[in-house]
Each structure stands twice: as C-alpha cells, then as structure tokens.
C-alpha cells in the first residue's frame, strides 16, 4: 500500500510536469520525467523543511542545479505545500509569473518563488552555490552551535554540470574541505542537448569524484525506490565527505516514443505523446493538471514541516537563554548587518601619505574585523597579492578541520564566485567576498552576473586594476574590464582613488549596499589626499554619491577633469597645470557610475553643470564615458610589460594629455 501511493505520487509528478511544459508550449520535460522518483524521495522522505516558512534558517537547502528542469521543482513545491498554486504552474514561463523558465531567486518581493534558493540555469552554478551553502553551514554551526545550525545541502545535478569547469572546481574544493553535509543527486542519463553524452563525455565519474575526495553511491535504476532511498540514506549518513549519488535514469521516461532521446530534453512532448505517456502510467489522458486527493494529502508536508520547525524553535529559544552573548551576533548576521561600532572602526589610521588601495583595503578589514564576525571570504590563491584576509593567521583558516573566516579557494575563480554566491544566498554570512586580479574577473563572470541578477550582498574585490600594475604585462593588465563590469546591471562597481575612499567603499558595502559590489583596487601606491573642512580636498564621504567635487576650481570653473582610482592623481596634476595656465579647473572623483546614476538630477547637475567642458581620465577603454563627459583620455589597446610609470606614460595616461584635451575643448 505504502508503495502504491508512492508510485501514484511519482506518476502525478510526471503528469504535472508534462502538463506544465505542454501548457506553456515551452520548456524541458525530459529531466523532470526521468528524475521524478528522486525528487519524490528527497522531498517526501529525506529533506527537512517547512513549506510555510521557506526562510527558516536551519532548513535543508535544495538546489535544482540543472535549472532547465524547472518544471520539476515547481511541481514539487506545489505538491509539498509551498505557496505556489496550480495557477502558478499554469503560468509557467509567462510574464511576471513566479514560475519562470529557469528557477529564479527574484529579489522583487512580488516575484519570490518560495522554496527556490538560488537562480539556476547556467549549468554548474548551482553546483558551486551548494558548496558555498555547505561552507556557510559549517561556519555557522561551528560559531553558533549545532542546536541552531545543523542542516544539509542537496542538489540535483546533471551531465552538463559535471562537464562544466565550475562544477569541477567546486567539486574539488568541496572534497578538499570535506563538506560532508553535501548530498548531490546526479542524473546520469547519458543524454544532453545535442544527443548522447558519448559525443563528448566518457570519463568514469565515480572514479573522478572519488579522486576529489567524495563518497559516491550508485543506483542502477531511479525507478527502484527501495534502492534509491537506501543509497540516499547512506549518502546522508556519510558526514566525512560530500556525497554524489549517481542515479541511472532515462530522460523522458516513460514517454513511449521520446524517452531516452535528446528530443525529450528541451521541447514539449506534444499533445499526443503526453496523452500516450499518461496512458502508459495508467492515468486518464483527458485530465490535465490533475492531482488525486490521496496524492495531495500524501505529499503535503505542511504538518511535518511545522513539527520540524517547532522542534528547532524550541532549541533556538533555549539557546538564546543559554548563550545570550551570541544572540546579537546571530540577529545582526541574519539581518545582514555588522555589529554596532562598525562605523567607528573606519577609516583606520593610515600612518603614511602614500598607500596602494589594495593595502588600504587590508587595513580596513583588520580595523572592522571584530564587528563582522560572520563575514568570510578569500581569494583564488592570490590573497598575498589582493590583501584580502582577516587577521588571525592559522586560527582563521577555513580548513577541513576548522571553518575559519579566511578561505583559500585555490586557483578556482569561477568556483569561488559560485561558492560566494551560495554563502550569500544561505544567509547568516555577512557580505561574503571573493578576490582575484581584476583581469581574472573574466574567469568568474558567470557567477558575477548571477550575483547581480539575484542582487546578492556579496563583494568582489579586484586588485591590480589597470595597466598601472606594470611589469606583469598585458596578460595581467585589465583594459576592458571596468567597462565589462559596469555593463552588468545591478552590479555596483567602485574604484576608489585613495585610502579614504577605500574605507568609504567598505563602509557603505558592509553596512548594507543593495546587491553586489565590485571593487577595483590598485597594486601601486597612491597619495592619501588631505581631506575635509579647510583641507585641499573634499571628504571621501562624497564616494557615497558616486561622483563628487573633490577639489573646486580656483575661481569660476571653466573646465572639469574627472578621474577614477589611480587616475585621480593624473586629473589633479592636469588641473594644477590648467589652473597655472589660467583655466580654473574643477576636479571630480568618480568612483562609481552606478552610485552616481542613483542620485537625483539636481545633484548630478551640480557636479557637472551645463556648459562647462569635461574630460575624463581612466586607464582603460573609454567606452561609456561619453555618457558623462565631453572627451575621454583612455587606453584603446592592450597594455605592455614595463615599469608602471613607463606604461602609463607610453599609453598616454598623463597630465599633459589631459590638459591638452581640456584646452582643445575650451578653445
Ligand atoms: C553554461 C551553460 N551552457 C549551456 C547551456 C544550455 N543547455 C541547457 S541544458 C543543456 C544540456 C544539458 O544536458 P544534461 O545536463 O545532461 O541535462 P539533460 O539533457 O539530461 O536534461 C545545455 C547545453 C546552459 N544552460 N548552461
């Protein structure tokens, strides 16, 4: 009897998924049909969650990493009792629905899909997000105790995920870190988009994952519920190593004509095939979006969820009484805020008048460290260079035996990006960050884009941000990267010009800047400007508005020179020259286009009044500057290997060039 209702439930999931896709006349039925039994076992028997409280901090996390199979997660969320209705299933892939083509963690409160943890679809991203979530759980469990944080991370991953580089990077990291609370179900169905995987994928996945340090289970047939459940149970019981449950399935099963072929992967089966498949399952082909009452009751997890949640709530309430010293930390961490006192930690005393902004960043992190106890992150084997570590040495390493705050991601930029996104999506980790040379932002762009799409509170800390890094040459010198990062919607790019702007950038970011930030920091030393009332330069608090008058012209301004980052120094020198030549010149520091764009027109006009010619200088391509200024001094070629000053000079990033451009405009 118990197995009858299980089979009926699985048939219902399959029918529902076919209807969802057929009704939209668009979508991917193959994976949902093949993997329906796996989803059933996970959601009905294994995972601990409360459909009524999708934000419960200690819920098990589930990621449909193979996001093209979205119909499956929507069907499961509906059946298990999340606030996702039959009408939502009928609105699959339609404008404004909470059931978009691929699962989305939509920041718009009206478009939240309850139970969807992260946006997936670009294959491999979800895999890496789950690794970040498991890291977050390790860290928080260690810090706050297993009474309040002790959950697992599950995912359904597909062939594509294991083919992608990001999946491999994340798997290798997870194995190294012994993230034993990961259980991924691998849909091993031999089919991908172009046809059979034999076209391009034949390694022994079991051996490969074992070599990474994973525990691997094998299930011969996804439809053997007993074997499936036992394998998943063994994987869950394995706490020393992450687990991959390799599950043989047939894509599109049991569609009589399309199962086992790539035709079932990414297009509706067609009315006739949907009917035929329902008949194979012994269902009435005339019924669509049909859930038998017994199935609806059997699959609804609301009562079970409430019990689990209530148990946790009891533990949490006791914990609060027993560990009062941790309560404020817990509350602020989950609210995404630093501890009180954070603001007063910045800026630190620089103790010098010339310092690279990457080093200033390091001093900031040291200064605010104790106010951000759940902020974790690291670099892709460049923390020595990017200077993005919290103080603390060994005791702060995130290692297999001890989850500290400083993560060594290894040379795995894309995996790092996905993991950092996962930490942010998990919650409880304050502004997780990932760092590398700016040029290698390309290696992780897929993850950066998703951080912006999800508006996740992460920080991407890119150093060595221009040809000004010098000798390493054009392979390492970003030229088009500032433009490429600015091109990503909802990503706030900040390029501070000195130590004080760096502190301000960290201050607003940790304090709750909406969405992801990307910092561009210099390798080379830059002057620390004398700022504030009665000093030559305006306060770095101007950074909050994206661009500000950093030094007013001596007299009515006849020209404006604009710099970002290291080129503010060039802009100041150019303005000095122009002033000396009788052209009163305003200097504008323009660290962030996005922050400036968010200001009202009146403020923007006050920085760039009508009729005053303006020239920007930035050591990167000029693309986009035409929006803000009349002319740009830029670098329209790859850089070169030589000492920084010479590269800047040879490529024309000089006060002379800026002054000449201004004169052309003024005359
Ligand atoms: C990074 C990335 N590249 C390409 C695609 C397009 N794509 C979507 S599904 C898919 C094939 C995936 O095959 P598999 O992972 O085996 O899934 P299945 O066919 O079994 O559903 C491809 C290439 C994608 N979504 N993401």
């Amino acid at each position: 009897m118990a197995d009858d209702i299980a089979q009926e439930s699985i048939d219902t999931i399959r029918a529902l998924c076919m209807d969802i896709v057929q009704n939209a006349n668009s979508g991917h039925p193959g994976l949902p049909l093949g993997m329906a039994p796996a989803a059933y076992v996970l959601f009905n028997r294994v995972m601990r969650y409360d459909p009524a409280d999708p934000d419960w901090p200690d819920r098990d996390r589930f990621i449909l990493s193979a996001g093209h199979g979205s119909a499956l997660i929507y069907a499961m969320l509906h059946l298990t009792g999340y606030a996702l209705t039959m009408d939502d299933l009928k609105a699959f892939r339609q404008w404004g629905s909470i059931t978009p083509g691929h699962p989305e963690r939509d920041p718009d409160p009206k478009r939240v899909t309850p139970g969807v943890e992260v946006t997936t679809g670009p294959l491999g991203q979800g895999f890496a997000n789950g690794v970040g979530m498991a890291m977050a759980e390790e860290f928080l469990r260690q810090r706050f105790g297993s009474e309040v944080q002790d959950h697992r991370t599950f995912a359904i991953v597909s062939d594509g995920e294991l083919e992608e580089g990001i999946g491999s990077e994340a798997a290798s990291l997870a194995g190294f870190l012994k993230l034993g609370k990961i259980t991924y179900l691998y849909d091993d169905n031999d089919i991908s988009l172009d046809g059979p995987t034999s076209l391009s994928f034949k390694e022994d996945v079991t051996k490969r994952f074992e070599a990474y340090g994973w525990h691997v289970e094998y299930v011969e047939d996804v439809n053997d519920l007993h074997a499936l459940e036992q394998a998943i149970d063994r994987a869950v019981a394995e706490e020393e190593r992450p687990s991959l449950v390799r599950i043989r399935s047939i894509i599109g099963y049991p569609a009589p004509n399309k199962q086992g072929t790539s035709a079932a992967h990414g297009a509706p089966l067609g009315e006739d095939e949907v009917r035929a498949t329902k008949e194979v399952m012994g269902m009435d082909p005339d019924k669509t979006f049909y859930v038998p009452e017994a199935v609806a009751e059997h699959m609804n997890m609301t009562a079970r969820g409430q019990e689990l949640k209530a148990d946790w709530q009891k533990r949490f309430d006791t914990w609060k009484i027993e560990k009062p010293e941790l309560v404020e930390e817990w509350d602020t961490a989950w609210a995404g805020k630093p501890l009180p006192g954070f603001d007063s930690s910045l800026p630190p005393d620089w103790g010098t008048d010339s310092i690279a902004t990457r080093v200033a960043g390091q001093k900031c992190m040291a200064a605010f460290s104790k106010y951000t106890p759940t902020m974790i992150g690291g670099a892709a084997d460049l923390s020595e260079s990017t200077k993005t570590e919290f103080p603390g040495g060994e005791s702060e390493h995130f290692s297999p035996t001890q989850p500290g705050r400083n993560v060594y991601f290894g040379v795995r930029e894309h995996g790092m990006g996905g993991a950092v996104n996962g930490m942010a999506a998990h919650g409880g980790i304050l502004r997780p960050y990932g760092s590398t040379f700016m040029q290698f932002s390309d290696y992780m762009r897929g993850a950066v884009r998703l951080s912006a799409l999800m508006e996740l509170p992460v920080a991407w800390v890119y150093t060595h941000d221009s040809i000004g890094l010098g000798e390493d040459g054009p392979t390492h010198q970003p030229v088009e990267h500032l433009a490429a990062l600015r091109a990503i919607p909802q990503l706030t790019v900040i390029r501070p010009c000195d130590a004080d702007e760096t502190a301000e950038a960290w201050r607003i970011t940790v304090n709750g800047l909406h969405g992801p930030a990307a910092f561009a920091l210099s390798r080379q030393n830059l002057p620390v400007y004398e700022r504030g009332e009665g000093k030559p330069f305006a306060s770095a608090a101007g950074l909050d508005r994206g661009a500000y008058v950093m030094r007013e012209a001596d007299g009515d301004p006849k020209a404006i020179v604009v710099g970002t980052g290291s080129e503010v120094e060039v802009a100041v020198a150019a303005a000095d020259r122009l002033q000396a030549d009788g052209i009163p010149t305003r200097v504008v520091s323009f660290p962030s286009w996005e922050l400036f764009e968010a200001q009202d027109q009146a403020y923007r006009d006050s920085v760039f009044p009508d009729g005053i010619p303006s020239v920007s200088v930035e050591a990167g391509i000029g693309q986009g500057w035409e929006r803000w200024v009349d002319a740009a001094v830029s670098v329209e070629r790859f850089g070169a290997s030589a000492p920084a000053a010479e590269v800047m000079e040879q490529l024309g990033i000089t006060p002379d060039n800026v002054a000449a451009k201004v004169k052309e405009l003024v005359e």
Side-chain angles (χ1 to χ4, degrees):
M1 171 61 197
D3 280 352
D4 287 351
I5 188 67
Q7 191 54 50
E8 198 181 356
S9 299
I10 291 164
D11 291 344
T12 302
I13 298 167
R14 284 180 161 137
L16 211 45
C17 290
M18 285 192 295
D19 289 340
I20 292 169
V21 173
Q22 195 60 41
N23 182 61
N25 201 21
S26 165
H28 300 71
L31 180 148
L33 282 169
M35 285 295 273
Y40 169 79
V41 170
L42 270 192
F43 277 81
N44 268 56
R45 301 188 182 171
V46 178
M47 290 197 303
R48 300 156 56 88
Y49 58 95
D50 177 6
D53 185 1
D55 298 327
W56 169 26
D58 202 32
R59 68 191 179 279
D60 282 344
R61 305 303 197 267
F62 172 75
I63 301 168
L64 183 71
S65 190
H68 56 279
S70 55
L72 181 59
I73 187 171
Y74 299 148
M76 296 312 296
L77 295 175
H78 171 71
L79 291 168
T80 52
Y82 285 87
L84 193 140
T85 65
M86 200 57 105
D87 283 340
D88 293 322
L89 299 184
K90 291 177 181 167
F92 181 54
R93 297 191 155 222
Q94 303 309 306
W95 179 265
S97 81
I98 61 168
T99 46
H102 294 81
E104 290 180 39
R105 177 192 173 99
D106 197 309
D108 177 350
K110 289 202 285 296
R111 283 208 57 216
V112 169
T113 314
V116 167
E117 302 282 354
V118 280
T119 298
T120 52
L123 295 165
Q125 294 287 343
F127 191 119
N129 295 159
V131 171
M133 288 182 185
M135 291 170 73
E137 193 268 349
E138 279 294 317
F139 179 86
L140 296 170
R141 180 159 34 84
Q142 181 88 5
R143 179 132 199 119
F144 293 111
S146 55
E147 314 91 285
V148 291
Q149 187 72 172
D150 185 11
H151 70 79
R152 305 183 170 282
T153 301
F154 295 90
I156 290 179
V157 305
S158 64
D159 296 309
E161 242 96 34
L162 305 194
E163 292 175 358
E164 279 292 351
I166 183 173
S168 309
E169 292 175 21
S172 166
L173 181 64
F176 171 79
L177 289 175
K178 300 189 190 295
L179 300 175
K181 297 178 101 182
I182 286 181
T183 307
Y184 284 1
L185 309 190
Y186 163 37
D187 179 20
D188 185 3
N189 67 11
D190 289 344
I191 295 289
S192 56
L193 200 153
D194 275 347
T197 49
S198 60
L199 290 171
S200 56
F201 186 47
K202 80 178 251 256
E203 74 252 19
D204 185 330
V205 168
T206 298
K207 282 193 186 148
R208 188 178 133 208
F209 272 73
E210 283 173 353
Y212 286 148
W214 285 55
H215 164 85
V216 182
E217 289 283 340
Y218 180 71
V219 179
E220 182 74 39
D221 176 6
V222 70
N223 295 302
D224 179 347
L225 279 195
H226 185 64
L228 181 63
E229 194 170 354
Q230 287 200 325
I232 295 176
D233 284 349
R234 281 194 300 272
V236 165
E238 163 65 56
E239 297 229 324
E240 287 294 302
R241 294 169 291 171
S243 294
L244 187 75
V245 185
R246 200 177 141 204
I247 302 171
R248 298 288 294 164
S249 82
I250 298 173
I251 193 167
Y253 179 90
N257 303 299
K258 294 199 170 168
Q259 64 171 292
T261 73
S262 57
H265 161 84
L269 296 176
E271 298 286 356
D272 292 347
E273 184 77 351
V274 172
R275 290 180 69 88
T277 309
K278 285 180 184 169
E279 274 167 7
V280 169
M281 296 190 292
M283 302 175 84
D284 179 349
D286 287 330
K287 288 186 173 155
T288 58
F289 291 101
Y290 174 62
V291 180
E293 222 168 278
V295 170
E297 197 178 309
H298 172 69
M299 289 202 60
N300 191 298
M301 294 291 130
T302 311
R304 176 177 172 268
Q306 269 166 1
E307 248 172 65
L308 290 169
K309 164 77 190 295
D311 264 7
W312 176 84
Q313 189 68 48
K314 246 188 264 157
R315 288 199 301 279
F316 184 61
D317 293 342
T318 314
W319 173 86
K320 274 179 153 171
I321 295 163
E322 286 171 359
K323 306 256 175 73
E325 72 283 2
L326 287 175
V327 172
E328 182 177 45
E329 201 181 288
W330 170 279
D331 287 345
T332 49
W334 286 90
K337 297 278 174 225
L339 289 170
F342 167 80
D343 273 312
S344 62
S345 70
L346 293 174
D349 182 7
W350 306 116
T352 170
D353 58 6
S354 169
I355 179 174
T357 50
R358 63 176 169 144
V359 179
Q362 180 181 37
K363 286 181 184 271
C364 291
M365 288 178 66
F368 67 62
S369 169
K370 71 172 175 188
Y371 303 102
T372 58
T374 71
M375 181 168 169
I376 70 180
D381 196 37
L382 280 172
S383 49
E384 283 292 313
S385 298
T386 61
K387 313 278 182 200
T388 44
E389 266 188 2
F390 286 110
E394 288 276 324
S395 67
E396 287 294 350
H397 291 180
F398 196 115
S399 74
T401 48
Q402 157 219 285
R405 302 166 72 183
N406 291 327
V407 183
Y408 292 93
F409 286 102
V411 192
R412 302 182 181 103
E413 291 84 2
H414 208 178
M416 170 177 76
V420 168
N421 285 344
M423 290 181 206
H426 179 278
I429 302 296
L430 176 66
R431 196 59 65 160
Y433 66 92
S435 174
T436 181
F437 289 163
M438 193 167 181
Q439 200 283 118
F440 304 129
S441 61
D442 284 345
Y443 269 48
M444 55 185 289
R445 194 169 169 85
V448 174
R449 183 173 194 273
L450 280 169
S451 75
L453 183 58
M454 291 187 264
E455 298 178 28
L456 291 174
V458 301
W460 307 118
V461 184
Y462 297 126
T463 67
H464 298 59
D465 69 346
S466 79
I467 54 170
L469 67 86
E471 290 85 345
D472 273 341
T475 54
H476 285 51
Q477 293 165 346
V479 171
E480 73 280 28
H481 297 76
L482 277 169
L485 290 167
R486 287 173 182 146
I488 298 178
Q490 293 163 189
L491 174 67
T492 301
V493 180
I494 309 180
R495 187 167 189 243
C497 75
D498 72 345
D500 287 307
E501 279 195 7
T502 307
E504 193 60 17
W506 266 125
R507 197 182 65 73
I508 61 168
T509 301
V510 173
N511 265 333
L513 177 82
H514 186 76
F519 292 177
L521 303 179
S522 73
R523 169 182 185 270
Q524 71 274 34
N525 280 358
L526 301 176
V528 179
Y529 296 97
E530 287 182 63
R531 294 172 176 274
E533 286 282 312
K535 305 269 175 60
F537 297 94
S539 156
L543 173 137
D544 304 12
R545 311 190 84 170
Y548 62 102
V549 179
M550 187 165 142
R551 190 179 71 182
E552 189 49 290
D554 196 1
D556 274 352
K558 292 279 179 301
I560 302 172
V561 290
V562 182
T564 80
S566 46
E567 286 73 70
V568 166
E569 190 179 5
V570 180
V572 168
D576 288 345
R577 255 163 244 203
L578 290 160
Q579 293 268 161
D581 292 347
I583 304 173
T585 303
R586 166 184 286 191
V587 177
V588 167
S589 173
F590 202 158
S592 174
W593 290 13
E594 296 79 16
L595 293 176
F596 190 58
E597 205 161 20
Q599 304 306 311
D600 59 27
Q601 192 66 42
Y603 176 74
R604 292 192 306 211
D605 289 347
S606 76
V607 177
F608 294 107
D610 253 3
I612 305 183
S614 53
V615 172
S616 66
V617 55
E618 184 170 81
I621 63 170
Q623 183 181 316
W625 275 107
E626 64 278 359
R627 273 172 75 193
W628 310 111
V629 294
D630 299 307
V633 172
S634 62
V635 176
E636 305 298 328
R637 48 159 283 186
F638 290 120
S641 169
E646 167 131 38
V647 181
M648 286 285 194
E649 178 83 29
Q650 292 279 358
L651 298 191
I653 302 297
T654 61
D656 277 351
N657 270 346
V658 177
K661 242 329 174 271
V662 168
K663 283 182 183 166
E664 262 171 48
L665 289 176
V666 172
E667 284 153 17

